Amino acid sequence: MLAFTSAQTVQQPSFSAQYTARGKPLCSITTNPSTLPGISSSSTGNNPLIQSLSRQGDLKQALHVLSQEPNPSQLTYELLIRSCSSQKSLSDGLSVHRHLFDNGFDQDPFLATKLINMYSEVDDVERALLVFDKIRKRTIYVWNALFQALALASRGEKVMDLYRRMNQTEILSDRFTYTYVLKACVVSENMASLLKSGKEIHANILRRGYEGHVHTMTTLMDMYARFGCVNEARHVFAEMRVKNVVSWGVMITCYAKNSMPFEALELFHEMMSRSDTVPTSVIMVSVLQACAALAALEQGRLLHGFVLRRGLDSILPVISALMTVYARCGKIELAQTIFDKMEKRDVVSWNSLISAYGVHGFGEKAVEIFKQMVCSGISPSVVSFVSVLGACSHAGLVEKGKELFRSMVQIHRIQPRVEHYACMVDLLGRANRLDEAVKIIEEMRMEPGPKVWGALLGSCKIHDNVELAERASSRLFELEPRNAGNYVLLADIYAGAKLWQEARRAKQLLEARGLQKVPGRCWIEVKRKIYSFVSVDEQNPQIEQLRALLLRLSMEMKETGYVPRTDIVHYDLDSDEKERILLGHSEKLAVAFGLINSNKGEVIRITKNLRLCEDCHSVTKFISKFTNREILVKDVNRFHHFRDGLCSCRDYW
DNA sequence: CTAGGGTTAG
């Protein structure tokens, strides 16, 4: 880059010299160009030949001919630059750039645009910026090309800086500008600060009267969606008079990605009934994702049928999403069947299967699939390692996990990222090897992020380690002050150690920051309808019936040794009240609902938004034995398969 | 020169 900068300004001759030297081998073309078919020695010279060589992708030949051409045209340069872009060749791009500079085309805004595109394509934004700096006449095309290049390189702040500067000139944004600058907002390292910028662009869009432009408005929705601003996205969507399949898709994805799977499914059904929009594979992927999050098997089956009818069943992302739906509905064998039938598989297909076994606690199987993947010649990705390490963690395969972690660098040449360290901390911490977990953190060559400290805090909860919990939580309160879960976890750990005053302080901290505990929720799908439960659910029409059933079961269970875990209720209440609260937990309500409303022999499947509580875990074990029913509970991070009084997690979760 | 998607840990 340095050589080029100086050359561009002062050392022009060296370019030409270097260039001519490189052109030498093909001088035969210039000595007698007319011997080549279709080439005349008229005023157009070698231009048509260079152009057709560029179009064919014979870049080397094109460059050789160029070196002998005294009058290259703008079109010739354009095609050459494009060829460099498509071949991702920085060195050839530089040659063309030098050449057009020598021929006085360096102030041509059209070619500057193409050069910026080209440098962006070869991942050299710095040179793209340089072209922009040098060009004096900056058309909106030049600006847009740079915005696009910077957005692609995740330089959000830089884009906003330049966007504001552009707005001080007489150049006006167009519809392309808006899509690029909006995209730039969500790709910066510093997400929070650019939401403001996004809103600023939103205001400009309205001021300039672009609110009727579908493309722009859809990008705007997506920007809000990625910041988690569901209401803003929803508002933009509602105001759009013209919607197309992408606008619907962005809104559905927005819900699916922001933990609102119900709304995602609802909107999909609305799209199907109220518009003539034909769903694409992209839409199906998002809807399937929502379905997986809810563990809604019947919905999933309907969607699977739909996918087949629409002929979308050979599209890899759709298949991966389908596998995940079945896996998350507890139908792991169906996920395996789909995988087996695939004609082509990519790394994501494999990852889907690995994580499927992982969340069910089949650690060995997950490791086996991982090995099969490697044997079949697919290189594991960063996600493969997250999945397989997670699988080891859930199954307590500590040594296996450590071995795989080492193999990341040693065999697969993948540098561990923060999320891999988080997996290791979880793996070791869960296995009560907290000192080793701490050692891993201390040896990290990067800043341990919230995921790492969060994994440690979670382990402290399992193993009642107050001291370490204080250390982890103090870091978490700095790193993610608005995550309510951390305060609740710390309060629980204190309460578990009967440090009531400290527990109260942790809760006060939560409230002082204006946060609220995420309420525990459960879902159950019965006859294609999904029912949702919150703890001590007074609104539920069947609540009395559910309570009565649970009370009866609880009394029976007590006779066979069940002791309600009133110790985990951290309110200052008498033990009867505590028992009542425990019995009102949403997962118990959902189980009772399933027992009453589904047929005998059917598996009861429940989804929970948090980690399963210990009391519910033991009660569900009892119930599975008592009622001779299989109960499948998917909590935030794994599956619990209850059968005959036992759980598939072997009480390790 | 423009918009959306698969697999992921606490």
Side-chain angles (χ1 to χ4, degrees), chain A residues 40-83:
Chain A
S40 70
S41 48
S42 73
S43 64
T44 55
N46 288 322
N47 278 309
L49 175 60
I50 303 169
Q51 289 163 16
S52 83
L53 287 169
S54 303
R55 282 206 179 94
Q56 290 157 21
D58 193 349
L59 194 48
K60 292 282 170 269
Q61 190 81 348
L63 286 169
H64 288 313
V65 184
L66 176 70
S67 68
Q68 313 302 129
E69 171 51 51
N71 284 314
S73 70
Q74 190 197 43
L75 177 63
T76 297
Y77 281 128
E78 185 203 347
L79 294 174
L80 278 163
I81 296 168
R82 259 201 211 162
S83 184

mmCIF file of all heavy atoms in Angstrom, chain A residues 40-83:
data_model
loop_
_atom_site.group_PDB
_atom_site.id
_atom_site.type_symbol
_atom_site.label_atom_id
_atom_site.label_comp_id
_atom_site.label_asym_id
_atom_site.label_seq_id
_atom_site.Cartn_x
_atom_site.Cartn_y
_atom_site.Cartn_z
ATOM 1 N N SER A 40 -8.486 -5.135 -35.928
ATOM 2 C CA SER A 40 -7.939 -4.297 -36.988
ATOM 3 C C SER A 40 -6.994 -3.290 -36.355
ATOM 4 O O SER A 40 -6.984 -3.108 -35.142
ATOM 5 C CB SER A 40 -9.068 -3.554 -37.700
ATOM 6 O OG SER A 40 -9.595 -2.584 -36.829
ATOM 7 N N SER A 41 -6.195 -2.636 -37.155
ATOM 8 C CA SER A 41 -5.265 -1.652 -36.623
ATOM 9 C C SER A 41 -5.861 -0.243 -36.713
ATOM 10 O O SER A 41 -5.164 0.717 -36.875
ATOM 11 C CB SER A 41 -3.933 -1.727 -37.372
ATOM 12 O OG SER A 41 -4.198 -1.730 -38.752
ATOM 13 N N SER A 42 -7.188 -0.167 -36.642
ATOM 14 C CA SER A 42 -7.858 1.128 -36.725
ATOM 15 C C SER A 42 -7.638 1.926 -35.450
ATOM 16 O O SER A 42 -6.906 1.527 -34.560
ATOM 17 C CB SER A 42 -9.351 0.922 -36.945
ATOM 18 O OG SER A 42 -9.937 0.458 -35.758
ATOM 19 N N SER A 43 -8.352 3.046 -35.309
ATOM 20 C CA SER A 43 -8.155 3.935 -34.168
ATOM 21 C C SER A 43 -8.538 3.284 -32.834
ATOM 22 O O SER A 43 -8.093 3.693 -31.785
ATOM 23 C CB SER A 43 -8.957 5.215 -34.370
ATOM 24 O OG SER A 43 -10.327 4.900 -34.391
ATOM 25 N N THR A 44 -9.425 2.267 -32.875
ATOM 26 C CA THR A 44 -9.797 1.603 -31.626
ATOM 27 C C THR A 44 -8.649 0.748 -31.104
ATOM 28 O O THR A 44 -8.661 0.326 -29.978
ATOM 29 C CB THR A 44 -11.035 0.712 -31.810
ATOM 30 O OG1 THR A 44 -10.782 -0.196 -32.873
ATOM 31 C CG2 THR A 44 -12.273 1.525 -32.074
ATOM 32 N N GLY A 45 -7.649 0.482 -31.912
ATOM 33 C CA GLY A 45 -6.460 -0.255 -31.505
ATOM 34 C C GLY A 45 -6.796 -1.607 -30.920
ATOM 35 O O GLY A 45 -7.625 -2.349 -31.450
ATOM 36 N N ASN A 46 -6.142 -1.890 -29.798
ATOM 37 C CA ASN A 46 -6.338 -3.188 -29.162
ATOM 38 C C ASN A 46 -7.531 -3.208 -28.216
ATOM 39 O O ASN A 46 -7.766 -4.212 -27.554
ATOM 40 C CB ASN A 46 -5.081 -3.582 -28.389
ATOM 41 C CG ASN A 46 -3.947 -3.950 -29.321
ATOM 42 O OD1 ASN A 46 -4.171 -4.570 -30.367
ATOM 43 N ND2 ASN A 46 -2.745 -3.545 -28.969
ATOM 44 N N ASN A 47 -8.255 -2.103 -28.117
ATOM 45 C CA ASN A 47 -9.346 -2.026 -27.150
ATOM 46 C C ASN A 47 -10.338 -3.187 -27.237
ATOM 47 O O ASN A 47 -10.613 -3.821 -26.210
ATOM 48 C CB ASN A 47 -10.057 -0.678 -27.260
ATOM 49 C CG ASN A 47 -9.296 0.399 -26.491
ATOM 50 O OD1 ASN A 47 -8.970 0.196 -25.318
ATOM 51 N ND2 ASN A 47 -8.982 1.499 -27.142
ATOM 52 N N PRO A 48 -10.853 -3.492 -28.406
ATOM 53 C CA PRO A 48 -11.829 -4.603 -28.469
ATOM 54 C C PRO A 48 -11.229 -5.921 -28.007
ATOM 55 O O PRO A 48 -11.895 -6.699 -27.326
ATOM 56 C CB PRO A 48 -12.195 -4.665 -29.958
ATOM 57 C CG PRO A 48 -11.863 -3.324 -30.498
ATOM 58 C CD PRO A 48 -10.673 -2.852 -29.713
ATOM 59 N N LEU A 49 -9.959 -6.140 -28.336
ATOM 60 C CA LEU A 49 -9.322 -7.396 -27.924
ATOM 61 C C LEU A 49 -9.195 -7.463 -26.403
ATOM 62 O O LEU A 49 -9.549 -8.454 -25.774
ATOM 63 C CB LEU A 49 -7.932 -7.522 -28.575
ATOM 64 C CG LEU A 49 -7.116 -8.733 -28.124
ATOM 65 C CD1 LEU A 49 -7.839 -10.038 -28.445
ATOM 66 C CD2 LEU A 49 -5.734 -8.729 -28.775
ATOM 67 N N ILE A 50 -8.729 -6.353 -25.810
ATOM 68 C CA ILE A 50 -8.578 -6.333 -24.342
ATOM 69 C C ILE A 50 -9.935 -6.556 -23.694
ATOM 70 O O ILE A 50 -10.073 -7.302 -22.721
ATOM 71 C CB ILE A 50 -7.982 -4.985 -23.870
ATOM 72 C CG1 ILE A 50 -6.639 -4.718 -24.560
ATOM 73 C CG2 ILE A 50 -7.788 -5.006 -22.354
ATOM 74 C CD1 ILE A 50 -6.115 -3.304 -24.353
ATOM 75 N N GLN A 51 -10.939 -5.913 -24.272
ATOM 76 C CA GLN A 51 -12.284 -6.038 -23.703
ATOM 77 C C GLN A 51 -12.784 -7.471 -23.761
ATOM 78 O O GLN A 51 -13.315 -7.992 -22.779
ATOM 79 C CB GLN A 51 -13.251 -5.104 -24.445
ATOM 80 C CG GLN A 51 -13.000 -3.639 -24.130
ATOM 81 C CD GLN A 51 -13.643 -2.701 -25.132
ATOM 82 O OE1 GLN A 51 -14.525 -3.113 -25.899
ATOM 83 N NE2 GLN A 51 -13.215 -1.451 -25.140
ATOM 84 N N SER A 52 -12.579 -8.106 -24.913
ATOM 85 C CA SER A 52 -13.121 -9.466 -24.998
ATOM 86 C C SER A 52 -12.304 -10.436 -24.140
ATOM 87 O O SER A 52 -12.855 -11.351 -23.539
ATOM 88 C CB SER A 52 -13.225 -9.920 -26.456
ATOM 89 O OG SER A 52 -11.994 -10.410 -26.907
ATOM 90 N N LEU A 53 -11.004 -10.201 -24.033
ATOM 91 C CA LEU A 53 -10.186 -11.050 -23.154
ATOM 92 C C LEU A 53 -10.627 -10.883 -21.697
ATOM 93 O O LEU A 53 -10.714 -11.847 -20.940
ATOM 94 C CB LEU A 53 -8.702 -10.701 -23.302
ATOM 95 C CG LEU A 53 -8.020 -11.157 -24.606
ATOM 96 C CD1 LEU A 53 -6.637 -10.513 -24.755
ATOM 97 C CD2 LEU A 53 -7.903 -12.679 -24.656
ATOM 98 N N SER A 54 -10.934 -9.636 -21.303
ATOM 99 C CA SER A 54 -11.389 -9.383 -19.932
ATOM 100 C C SER A 54 -12.717 -10.080 -19.681
ATOM 101 O O SER A 54 -12.928 -10.680 -18.632
ATOM 102 C CB SER A 54 -11.564 -7.886 -19.700
ATOM 103 O OG SER A 54 -10.362 -7.204 -19.957
ATOM 104 N N ARG A 55 -13.588 -9.982 -20.675
ATOM 105 C CA ARG A 55 -14.908 -10.616 -20.523
ATOM 106 C C ARG A 55 -14.772 -12.119 -20.367
ATOM 107 O O ARG A 55 -15.494 -12.743 -19.605
ATOM 108 C CB ARG A 55 -15.773 -10.307 -21.753
ATOM 109 C CG ARG A 55 -16.359 -8.899 -21.729
ATOM 110 C CD ARG A 55 -17.638 -8.865 -22.558
ATOM 111 N NE ARG A 55 -18.229 -7.527 -22.535
ATOM 112 C CZ ARG A 55 -17.997 -6.587 -23.459
ATOM 113 N NH1 ARG A 55 -17.180 -6.847 -24.482
ATOM 114 N NH2 ARG A 55 -18.578 -5.416 -23.370
ATOM 115 N N GLN A 56 -13.811 -12.688 -21.100
ATOM 116 C CA GLN A 56 -13.617 -14.139 -21.023
ATOM 117 C C GLN A 56 -12.864 -14.543 -19.761
ATOM 118 O O GLN A 56 -12.720 -15.726 -19.468
ATOM 119 C CB GLN A 56 -12.809 -14.630 -22.234
ATOM 120 C CG GLN A 56 -13.566 -14.578 -23.548
ATOM 121 C CD GLN A 56 -12.604 -14.522 -24.736
ATOM 122 O OE1 GLN A 56 -11.438 -14.915 -24.610
ATOM 123 N NE2 GLN A 56 -13.080 -14.028 -25.873
ATOM 124 N N GLY A 57 -12.334 -13.564 -19.047
ATOM 125 C CA GLY A 57 -11.600 -13.871 -17.830
ATOM 126 C C GLY A 57 -10.141 -14.201 -18.074
ATOM 127 O O GLY A 57 -9.450 -14.671 -17.177
ATOM 128 N N ASP A 58 -9.662 -13.947 -19.301
ATOM 129 C CA ASP A 58 -8.237 -14.182 -19.564
ATOM 130 C C ASP A 58 -7.476 -12.909 -19.227
ATOM 131 O O ASP A 58 -7.015 -12.159 -20.092
ATOM 132 C CB ASP A 58 -8.029 -14.567 -21.041
ATOM 133 C CG ASP A 58 -6.627 -15.128 -21.282
ATOM 134 O OD1 ASP A 58 -5.775 -15.013 -20.356
ATOM 135 O OD2 ASP A 58 -6.396 -15.666 -22.372
ATOM 136 N N LEU A 59 -7.344 -12.700 -17.932
ATOM 137 C CA LEU A 59 -6.813 -11.445 -17.427
ATOM 138 C C LEU A 59 -5.343 -11.238 -17.803
ATOM 139 O O LEU A 59 -4.943 -10.143 -18.201
ATOM 140 C CB LEU A 59 -6.989 -11.435 -15.903
ATOM 141 C CG LEU A 59 -6.811 -10.118 -15.173
ATOM 142 C CD1 LEU A 59 -7.579 -8.992 -15.839
ATOM 143 C CD2 LEU A 59 -7.251 -10.294 -13.733
ATOM 144 N N LYS A 60 -4.566 -12.304 -17.702
ATOM 145 C CA LYS A 60 -3.133 -12.175 -17.990
ATOM 146 C C LYS A 60 -2.909 -11.688 -19.423
ATOM 147 O O LYS A 60 -2.190 -10.726 -19.660
ATOM 148 C CB LYS A 60 -2.447 -13.537 -17.786
ATOM 149 C CG LYS A 60 -2.417 -13.990 -16.342
ATOM 150 C CD LYS A 60 -1.342 -13.277 -15.527
ATOM 151 C CE LYS A 60 -1.489 -13.556 -14.036
ATOM 152 N NZ LYS A 60 -2.328 -12.578 -13.326
ATOM 153 N N GLN A 61 -3.583 -12.354 -20.336
ATOM 154 C CA GLN A 61 -3.469 -11.974 -21.749
ATOM 155 C C GLN A 61 -3.940 -10.532 -21.955
ATOM 156 O O GLN A 61 -3.291 -9.757 -22.632
ATOM 157 C CB GLN A 61 -4.322 -12.946 -22.582
ATOM 158 C CG GLN A 61 -4.103 -12.816 -24.064
ATOM 159 C CD GLN A 61 -2.843 -13.576 -24.527
ATOM 160 O OE1 GLN A 61 -2.031 -14.001 -23.711
ATOM 161 N NE2 GLN A 61 -2.694 -13.695 -25.826
ATOM 162 N N ALA A 62 -5.073 -10.209 -21.326
ATOM 163 C CA ALA A 62 -5.624 -8.864 -21.477
ATOM 164 C C ALA A 62 -4.612 -7.820 -21.026
ATOM 165 O O ALA A 62 -4.419 -6.786 -21.670
ATOM 166 C CB ALA A 62 -6.913 -8.738 -20.658
ATOM 167 N N LEU A 63 -3.933 -8.095 -19.905
ATOM 168 C CA LEU A 63 -2.947 -7.145 -19.392
ATOM 169 C C LEU A 63 -1.758 -6.991 -20.334
ATOM 170 O O LEU A 63 -1.234 -5.904 -20.523
ATOM 171 C CB LEU A 63 -2.462 -7.590 -18.004
ATOM 172 C CG LEU A 63 -3.472 -7.377 -16.875
ATOM 173 C CD1 LEU A 63 -3.018 -8.077 -15.606
ATOM 174 C CD2 LEU A 63 -3.672 -5.889 -16.618
ATOM 175 N N HIS A 64 -1.374 -8.096 -20.944
ATOM 176 C CA HIS A 64 -0.255 -8.025 -21.886
ATOM 177 C C HIS A 64 -0.617 -7.162 -23.079
ATOM 178 O O HIS A 64 0.164 -6.325 -23.506
ATOM 179 C CB HIS A 64 0.139 -9.433 -22.347
ATOM 180 C CG HIS A 64 0.830 -10.208 -21.273
ATOM 181 N ND1 HIS A 64 1.847 -9.681 -20.518
ATOM 182 C CD2 HIS A 64 0.630 -11.461 -20.813
ATOM 183 C CE1 HIS A 64 2.247 -10.576 -19.638
ATOM 184 N NE2 HIS A 64 1.512 -11.675 -19.785
ATOM 185 N N VAL A 65 -1.802 -7.359 -23.574
ATOM 186 C CA VAL A 65 -2.218 -6.550 -24.722
ATOM 187 C C VAL A 65 -2.323 -5.085 -24.320
ATOM 188 O O VAL A 65 -1.929 -4.179 -25.045
ATOM 189 C CB VAL A 65 -3.560 -7.056 -25.302
ATOM 190 C CG1 VAL A 65 -3.928 -6.268 -26.555
ATOM 191 C CG2 VAL A 65 -3.483 -8.537 -25.637
ATOM 192 N N LEU A 66 -2.833 -4.868 -23.102
ATOM 193 C CA LEU A 66 -2.985 -3.496 -22.601
ATOM 194 C C LEU A 66 -1.652 -2.750 -22.624
ATOM 195 O O LEU A 66 -1.593 -1.573 -22.996
ATOM 196 C CB LEU A 66 -3.537 -3.520 -21.167
ATOM 197 C CG LEU A 66 -3.665 -2.166 -20.463
ATOM 198 C CD1 LEU A 66 -4.781 -1.328 -21.084
ATOM 199 C CD2 LEU A 66 -3.903 -2.340 -18.972
ATOM 200 N N SER A 67 -0.581 -3.459 -22.263
ATOM 201 C CA SER A 67 0.718 -2.800 -22.166
ATOM 202 C C SER A 67 1.178 -2.249 -23.514
ATOM 203 O O SER A 67 2.041 -1.387 -23.568
ATOM 204 C CB SER A 67 1.749 -3.777 -21.615
ATOM 205 O OG SER A 67 1.981 -4.796 -22.564
ATOM 206 N N GLN A 68 0.601 -2.748 -24.569
ATOM 207 C CA GLN A 68 1.010 -2.279 -25.901
ATOM 208 C C GLN A 68 0.001 -1.313 -26.508
ATOM 209 O O GLN A 68 0.117 -0.940 -27.653
ATOM 210 C CB GLN A 68 1.164 -3.487 -26.852
ATOM 211 C CG GLN A 68 1.952 -4.642 -26.293
ATOM 212 C CD GLN A 68 3.351 -4.257 -25.870
ATOM 213 O OE1 GLN A 68 3.781 -4.547 -24.771
ATOM 214 N NE2 GLN A 68 4.071 -3.576 -26.753
ATOM 215 N N GLU A 69 -1.006 -0.962 -25.719
ATOM 216 C CA GLU A 69 -2.080 -0.140 -26.270
ATOM 217 C C GLU A 69 -1.901 1.330 -25.879
ATOM 218 O O GLU A 69 -1.965 1.656 -24.697
ATOM 219 C CB GLU A 69 -3.435 -0.688 -25.772
ATOM 220 C CG GLU A 69 -4.626 0.171 -26.090
ATOM 221 C CD GLU A 69 -4.708 0.553 -27.563
ATOM 222 O OE1 GLU A 69 -4.630 -0.353 -28.409
ATOM 223 O OE2 GLU A 69 -4.833 1.763 -27.852
ATOM 224 N N PRO A 70 -1.683 2.201 -26.829
ATOM 225 C CA PRO A 70 -1.439 3.609 -26.496
ATOM 226 C C PRO A 70 -2.694 4.357 -26.046
ATOM 227 O O PRO A 70 -2.620 5.299 -25.287
ATOM 228 C CB PRO A 70 -0.885 4.197 -27.785
ATOM 229 C CG PRO A 70 -1.385 3.303 -28.873
ATOM 230 C CD PRO A 70 -1.547 1.929 -28.272
ATOM 231 N N ASN A 71 -3.875 3.933 -26.487
ATOM 232 C CA ASN A 71 -5.097 4.670 -26.153
ATOM 233 C C ASN A 71 -6.204 3.789 -25.567
ATOM 234 O O ASN A 71 -7.240 3.579 -26.194
ATOM 235 C CB ASN A 71 -5.651 5.356 -27.420
ATOM 236 C CG ASN A 71 -4.843 6.571 -27.771
ATOM 237 O OD1 ASN A 71 -4.533 7.394 -26.903
ATOM 238 N ND2 ASN A 71 -4.480 6.676 -29.038
ATOM 239 N N PRO A 72 -6.010 3.286 -24.360
ATOM 240 C CA PRO A 72 -7.067 2.456 -23.781
ATOM 241 C C PRO A 72 -8.292 3.317 -23.481
ATOM 242 O O PRO A 72 -8.152 4.470 -23.080
ATOM 243 C CB PRO A 72 -6.448 1.927 -22.481
ATOM 244 C CG PRO A 72 -5.023 2.328 -22.498
ATOM 245 C CD PRO A 72 -4.886 3.482 -23.438
ATOM 246 N N SER A 73 -9.463 2.736 -23.673
ATOM 247 C CA SER A 73 -10.686 3.511 -23.428
ATOM 248 C C SER A 73 -11.211 3.262 -22.013
ATOM 249 O O SER A 73 -10.768 2.342 -21.321
ATOM 250 C CB SER A 73 -11.752 3.116 -24.447
ATOM 251 O OG SER A 73 -12.195 1.804 -24.184
ATOM 252 N N GLN A 74 -12.201 4.066 -21.645
ATOM 253 C CA GLN A 74 -12.816 3.913 -20.323
ATOM 254 C C GLN A 74 -13.434 2.519 -20.182
ATOM 255 O O GLN A 74 -13.279 1.852 -19.171
ATOM 256 C CB GLN A 74 -13.894 4.994 -20.147
ATOM 257 C CG GLN A 74 -14.421 5.092 -18.733
ATOM 258 C CD GLN A 74 -15.732 5.842 -18.677
ATOM 259 O OE1 GLN A 74 -16.617 5.635 -19.510
ATOM 260 N NE2 GLN A 74 -15.850 6.733 -17.706
ATOM 261 N N LEU A 75 -14.103 2.086 -21.269
ATOM 262 C CA LEU A 75 -14.741 0.763 -21.233
ATOM 263 C C LEU A 75 -13.701 -0.340 -21.046
ATOM 264 O O LEU A 75 -13.925 -1.294 -20.306
ATOM 265 C CB LEU A 75 -15.540 0.541 -22.527
ATOM 266 C CG LEU A 75 -16.209 -0.836 -22.656
ATOM 267 C CD1 LEU A 75 -17.244 -1.043 -21.558
ATOM 268 C CD2 LEU A 75 -16.855 -1.019 -24.032
ATOM 269 N N THR A 76 -12.563 -0.173 -21.719
ATOM 270 C CA THR A 76 -11.496 -1.165 -21.575
ATOM 271 C C THR A 76 -11.071 -1.284 -20.120
ATOM 272 O O THR A 76 -10.972 -2.378 -19.564
ATOM 273 C CB THR A 76 -10.295 -0.761 -22.445
ATOM 274 O OG1 THR A 76 -10.711 -0.760 -23.811
ATOM 275 C CG2 THR A 76 -9.134 -1.723 -22.260
ATOM 276 N N TYR A 77 -10.851 -0.141 -19.495
ATOM 277 C CA TYR A 77 -10.455 -0.158 -18.080
ATOM 278 C C TYR A 77 -11.549 -0.759 -17.204
ATOM 279 O O TYR A 77 -11.291 -1.529 -16.292
ATOM 280 C CB TYR A 77 -10.128 1.258 -17.609
ATOM 281 C CG TYR A 77 -8.748 1.724 -18.048
ATOM 282 C CD1 TYR A 77 -8.567 2.940 -18.706
ATOM 283 C CD2 TYR A 77 -7.628 0.935 -17.785
ATOM 284 C CE1 TYR A 77 -7.315 3.364 -19.091
ATOM 285 C CE2 TYR A 77 -6.357 1.354 -18.177
ATOM 286 C CZ TYR A 77 -6.203 2.562 -18.827
ATOM 287 O OH TYR A 77 -4.961 2.979 -19.205
ATOM 288 N N GLU A 78 -12.784 -0.388 -17.515
ATOM 289 C CA GLU A 78 -13.878 -0.900 -16.701
ATOM 290 C C GLU A 78 -13.883 -2.427 -16.712
ATOM 291 O O GLU A 78 -13.983 -3.074 -15.666
ATOM 292 C CB GLU A 78 -15.223 -0.374 -17.213
ATOM 293 C CG GLU A 78 -16.364 -0.788 -16.302
ATOM 294 C CD GLU A 78 -17.723 -0.794 -16.992
ATOM 295 O OE1 GLU A 78 -17.836 -0.239 -18.102
ATOM 296 O OE2 GLU A 78 -18.651 -1.368 -16.397
ATOM 297 N N LEU A 79 -13.783 -2.986 -17.894
ATOM 298 C CA LEU A 79 -13.845 -4.446 -17.999
ATOM 299 C C LEU A 79 -12.644 -5.110 -17.350
ATOM 300 O O LEU A 79 -12.760 -6.170 -16.739
ATOM 301 C CB LEU A 79 -13.983 -4.854 -19.468
ATOM 302 C CG LEU A 79 -15.306 -4.414 -20.102
ATOM 303 C CD1 LEU A 79 -15.317 -4.709 -21.588
ATOM 304 C CD2 LEU A 79 -16.488 -5.091 -19.418
ATOM 305 N N LEU A 80 -11.501 -4.456 -17.481
ATOM 306 C CA LEU A 80 -10.312 -5.009 -16.834
ATOM 307 C C LEU A 80 -10.484 -5.035 -15.316
ATOM 308 O O LEU A 80 -10.190 -6.027 -14.656
ATOM 309 C CB LEU A 80 -9.081 -4.159 -17.195
ATOM 310 C CG LEU A 80 -8.427 -4.469 -18.535
ATOM 311 C CD1 LEU A 80 -7.509 -3.323 -18.958
ATOM 312 C CD2 LEU A 80 -7.623 -5.776 -18.449
ATOM 313 N N ILE A 81 -10.977 -3.914 -14.787
ATOM 314 C CA ILE A 81 -11.148 -3.836 -13.329
ATOM 315 C C ILE A 81 -12.136 -4.903 -12.863
ATOM 316 O O ILE A 81 -11.932 -5.577 -11.858
ATOM 317 C CB ILE A 81 -11.624 -2.426 -12.912
ATOM 318 C CG1 ILE A 81 -10.552 -1.380 -13.256
ATOM 319 C CG2 ILE A 81 -11.926 -2.387 -11.414
ATOM 320 C CD1 ILE A 81 -11.038 0.063 -13.145
ATOM 321 N N ARG A 82 -13.215 -5.036 -13.630
ATOM 322 C CA ARG A 82 -14.216 -6.039 -13.270
ATOM 323 C C ARG A 82 -13.630 -7.443 -13.252
ATOM 324 O O ARG A 82 -13.953 -8.253 -12.392
ATOM 325 C CB ARG A 82 -15.341 -6.021 -14.295
ATOM 326 C CG ARG A 82 -16.511 -5.279 -13.742
ATOM 327 C CD ARG A 82 -17.755 -5.670 -14.460
ATOM 328 N NE ARG A 82 -18.613 -4.496 -14.449
ATOM 329 C CZ ARG A 82 -19.625 -4.325 -15.242
ATOM 330 N NH1 ARG A 82 -19.889 -5.245 -16.154
ATOM 331 N NH2 ARG A 82 -20.355 -3.255 -15.157
ATOM 332 N N SER A 83 -12.786 -7.696 -14.222
ATOM 333 C CA SER A 83 -12.159 -9.012 -14.295
ATOM 334 C C SER A 83 -11.270 -9.254 -13.072
ATOM 335 O O SER A 83 -11.242 -10.343 -12.506
ATOM 336 C CB SER A 83 -11.357 -9.106 -15.586
ATOM 337 O OG SER A 83 -10.820 -10.392 -15.719
#
